[in-house]
Amino acid sequence: MDHRENYIEFVCENTMQLGQIQSDAYDLVYTSNGVHVWINDLNAMYQNISRVLKTGGRYIMFDIHPFMRPLSSNTEQLIAVKPYDATGPFGEPPTYKWRIQDLTNALALSGLTHGGNVCRGRGILGR
């Protein structure tokens, strides 16, 4: 039995460049929580993600916007448990403060399209 079609390759690369990755190379690209505070060029990041995805490939982004940080995890009621300015990030990491519309515009300009699957802030986008 040939298992190559089930092969998963994990690549850690600068998403604003992705210079070592050829175009149309991957079925899936994933970025995790907090990635956006490190990104200084959203358009470059999303254009490169779009470039390396195969036609029909998927981009999965998991991130939590800071507007959620002051809120409790109670899903029945909207309850603020701490002031917004007390939620971080703290320390020395770069903190590019993108707004939701900045992310949305960069995603749209990249050619990525919404795949119709959204669940509690998690989005799946396809090319």
Side-chain angles (χ1 to χ4, degrees), residues 46-65:
Y46 288 123
Q47 287 171 2
N48 279 306
I49 288 172
S50 181
R51 178 185 63 77
V52 302
L53 279 173
K54 293 178 182 177
T55 299
R58 297 284 185 240
Y59 167 59
I60 299 176
M61 169 184 49
F62 172 75
D63 212 336
I64 298 173
H65 193 273

Side-chain angles (χ1 to χ4, degrees), residues 21-69:
I21 299 175
Q22 64 183 336
S23 297
D24 301 311
Y26 287 93
D27 297 308
L28 175 71
V29 173
Y30 169 80
T31 57
S32 63
N33 189 27
V35 70
H36 294 100
V37 299
W38 302 98
I39 303 301
N40 67 355
D41 188 345
L42 288 177
N43 289 325
M45 179 177 120
Y46 288 123
Q47 287 171 2
N48 279 306
I49 288 172
S50 181
R51 178 185 63 77
V52 302
L53 279 173
K54 293 178 182 177
T55 299
R58 297 284 185 240
Y59 167 59
I60 299 176
M61 169 184 49
F62 172 75
D63 212 336
I64 298 173
H65 193 273
F67 74 82
M68 296 296 293
R69 292 181 186 155

Side-chain angles (χ1 to χ4, degrees), residues 87-99:
T87 62
F90 304 108
E92 296 299 320
T95 53
Y96 297 102
K97 297 178 180 176
W98 301 110
R99 301 166 299 171

